[in-house]
Amino acid sequence: MKFFKVPEPTIMRLSLYSRILEQMEERGIPIISSVELGDAVGINSGVVRKDLSMFGEFGVRGVGYNVRELRDNIRKLLGQDRNWPVIIVGAGHLGSSLAAYPGFTQRGFNIEAIVDSDPALAGTTIQGHPVIDWAGAEQLIKEQGVRMAILAVPPDAVQSVAQRMIDLGIEAILNFSPIILKVPAAKAQVQNVDLTVFFDLMRFTSNLNEQEGLRPQSSSLRGLAVR
Amino acid sequence: MKFFKVPEPTIMRLSLYSRILEQMEERGIPIISSVELGDAVGINSGVVRKDLSMFGEFGVRGVGYNVRELRDNIRKLLGQDRNWPVIIVGAGHLGSSLAAYPGFTQRGFNIEAIVDSDPALAGTTIQGHPVIDWAGAEQLIKEQGVRMAILAVPPDAVQSVAQRMIDLGIEAILNFSPIILKVPAAKAQVQNVDLTVFFDLMRFTSNLNEQEGLRPQSSSLRGLAVR
DNA sequence: ACTTGTGAAGATGTTCACAGCT
DNA sequence: AGCTGTGAACATCTTCACAAGT
């Protein structure tokens, strides 16, 4: 098996392409060009072609890409064509909103359950997904071979919850709490998604714009020294 | 006023530093080195120094950085020291979970209200924040000078809601729906945060790991051609 | 005529290593 | 002795522009 390096930005864009292609297919559009796909996700067409050419030759010169075919290939690349059992930890607002998102199932994730330590919640359902306690989680993870966990728990609980999940055999963790979760790389993979960062990012530019008037957005930001 | 380019990753890391420093201060730690700060956010100390030196000379050679001083400077850089009135659009799960996040207020955002088109919700409160209708939103935005909006609405509503917000004078939009919101740059700034991308990113690596056994995570991913 | 796939050039971001200061 | 600030080397990602294919 021959592996090669793939830029992380490429994977993130594949995810975007995948959704655009889904929409194109629904609308019955058979062919799409790299320019159209690029416009749809807000990037240059060359990036699209580079990204795709990395994994194979999916297009036809002079024509474009077959929408369904490309979608299927990307789905396969991202693993969207298979069923991934997932467990959500934390039945609060964020956990619930993730559980409520329908695109989840469409994209190959299967929410097996939501784990919560509140005994009052165990046995209930949220958006049709059962809420279970830790004992139930242990059983479920073993039985269903769950490998991915989504952490939507309060910041102070993150580290211990992550450890507990790893002990139960979880291999990949997506952490939504505003805490940088660190776990020995050999134990499990962690992806931290810190929403507050996006707020700060947005504000940083607003803050500047205020000082020089609103301007066209550019990918490279500008700063202003403190003194 | 002298502006200079700042890498977007730098801003995102400043946001992380800011929280770590907050924690350090609470624990009464007076001084921190670039190595310690780097470890805390999981990066090389050189990056920390580069990031900070961009905005001024905050440290003391041979000593380190004064925690409180550095925190204050970063707060100022990111605009966390001022009060930013914000409006959340969409009183669903995601909107509610954002409204529930306490760190929001701590970090200089003031959630003025949650706008929702459901008439049954107008007049109620979510997490202490009033839910208002569009008429109320118009008034509030004008009166309070609200400039930032957080969109947590269903995908099909995003584009029209964004337009409506811009018409009401909103200058910065943080879009959480899995749709790439596009707005003329001169009208407003948009930051799209597509959560599904993170899921796909995580799965991509899991998908590969499965084929070659779990490995240490590395920042550069590897791929496998489709054919 | 049109659009892909891709090497090469360019831009951006990161790491290194050491001079400079306490 | 220790840690910052920073130029220079390096790595990574993006853009360009054109040959190749239909």
Side-chain angles (χ1 to χ4, degrees), chain A residues 24-179:
Chain A
M24 294 289 167
E25 237 237 303
E26 273 165 26
R27 290 163 51 197
I29 296 168
I31 301 288
I32 192 171
S33 74
S34 60
V35 175
E36 293 169 299
L37 193 46
D39 286 350
V41 307
I43 56 168
N44 177 302
S45 67
V47 178
V48 176
R49 295 198 298 280
K50 261 267 149 74
D51 283 343
L52 298 178
S53 71
M54 205 134 215
F55 299 96
E57 306 204 352
F58 303 125
V60 178
R61 289 164 198 236
V63 180
Y65 300 91
N66 178 305
V67 170
R68 180 171 308 181
E69 210 181 286
L70 184 56
R71 182 207 57 175
D72 288 345
N73 277 312
I74 294 180
R75 285 179 71 90
K76 207 178 294 172
L77 283 170
L78 295 178
Q80 288 176 352
D81 61 330
R82 304 171 42 198
N83 228 310
W84 293 77
V86 175
I87 197 164
I88 293 177
V89 190
H93 285 286
L94 184 56
S96 301
S97 68
L98 292 169
Y101 180 55
F104 237 164
T105 338
Q106 281 167 34
R107 310 185 111 223
F109 291 108
N110 202 33
I111 301 170
E112 299 291 334
I114 305 174
V115 191
D116 201 283
S117 53
D118 182 349
L121 289 174
T124 65
T125 63
I126 292 181
Q127 306 290 326
H129 305 290
V131 181
I132 60 177
D133 59 15
W134 283 89
E138 172 157 16
Q139 196 189 343
L140 185 101
I141 290 170
K142 300 266 149 75
E143 277 174 13
Q144 302 295 320
V146 180
R147 291 158 50 208
M148 292 179 68
I150 297 164
L151 266 50
V153 300
D156 53 312
V158 172
Q159 196 67 51
S160 70
V161 166
Q163 191 52 57
R164 211 156 170 182
M165 278 288 144
I166 292 168
D167 292 342
L168 294 180
I170 291 293
E171 294 165 15
I173 294 172
L174 197 51
N175 171 38
F176 279 99
S177 316
I179 282 284

Side-chain angles (χ1 to χ4, degrees), chain A residues 4 19 39 147 194 223, chain B residues 4 19 147 182 194 210 223:
Chain A
F4 49 90
R19 191 170 42 244
D39 286 350
R147 291 158 50 208
D194 188 335
Chain B
F4 49 90
R19 193 171 36 247
R147 290 158 52 208
K182 274 175 287 187
D194 189 336
E210 181 169 300

Side-chain angles (χ1 to χ4, degrees), chain B:
Chain B
M1 243 180 240
K2 208 176 78 223
F3 290 93
F4 49 90
K5 280 204 240 173
V6 181
E8 185 169 299
T10 293
I11 307 301
M12 299 180 109
R13 286 189 299 260
L14 284 179
S15 176
L16 299 179
Y17 302 154
S18 129
R19 193 171 36 247
I20 301 293
L21 289 166
E22 209 68 61
Q23 290 165 13
M24 294 290 166
E25 237 238 301
E26 273 165 27
R27 290 164 51 197
I29 297 168
I31 301 288
I32 192 171
S33 74
S34 59
V35 174
E36 293 167 300
L37 193 45
D39 285 351
V41 307
I43 57 169
N44 176 304
S45 68
V47 178
V48 176
R49 295 198 299 279
K50 261 266 149 76
D51 284 343
L52 298 178
S53 70
M54 208 136 212
F55 299 95
E57 305 204 352
F58 303 124
V60 178
R61 291 166 197 233
V63 180
Y65 300 90
N66 179 304
V67 170
R68 180 170 309 182
E69 210 182 288
L70 184 57
R71 183 208 57 175
D72 288 345
N73 276 312
I74 294 180
R75 285 179 71 90
K76 207 178 294 173
L77 282 171
L78 295 177
Q80 289 175 353
D81 60 331
R82 302 172 43 200
N83 228 311
W84 293 76
V86 175
I87 197 164
I88 294 178
V89 190
H93 285 286
L94 184 55
S96 301
S97 68
L98 292 170
Y101 180 55
F104 237 164
T105 337
Q106 280 167 36
R107 309 186 113 222
F109 291 108
N110 201 33
I111 301 170
E112 299 292 333
I114 305 174
V115 190
D116 203 283
S117 53
D118 182 349
L121 289 174
T124 65
T125 63
I126 291 181
Q127 306 291 324
H129 305 290
V131 181
I132 60 177
D133 59 17
W134 282 89
E138 173 157 16
Q139 196 189 342
L140 186 103
I141 290 171
K142 300 267 148 77
E143 278 174 12
Q144 301 296 319
V146 180
R147 290 158 52 208
M148 292 180 67
I150 297 164
L151 266 48
V153 300
D156 53 313
V158 173
Q159 196 67 50
S160 69
V161 165
Q163 190 52 57
R164 212 157 170 181
M165 278 289 144
I166 292 169
D167 292 343
L168 294 181
I170 291 293
E171 293 165 15
I173 293 173
L174 197 51
N175 171 39
F176 279 100
S177 317
I179 282 285
I180 299 132
L181 174 59
K182 274 175 287 187
V183 155
K187 295 276 186 184
Q189 279 184 69
V190 174
Q191 177 83 44
N192 290 293
V193 182
D194 189 336
L195 299 182
T196 64
V197 168
F198 297 103
F199 289 95
D200 278 329
L201 184 57
M202 161 123 294
R203 176 164 52 185
F204 178 79
T205 45
S206 292
N207 205 8
L208 278 180
N209 283 335
E210 181 169 300
Q211 293 169 55
E212 40 167 359
L214 198 61
R215 296 202 186 189
Q217 49 192 150
S218 85
S219 60
S220 78
L221 306 169
R222 279 150 304 110
L224 186 54
V226 167
R227 348 172 180 285

Side-chain angles (χ1 to χ4, degrees), chain A residues 173-194:
Chain A
I173 294 172
L174 197 51
N175 171 38
F176 279 99
S177 316
I179 282 284
I180 298 131
L181 174 59
K182 273 174 286 186
V183 155
K187 293 277 185 181
Q189 279 185 69
V190 173
Q191 177 82 44
N192 289 293
V193 182
D194 188 335

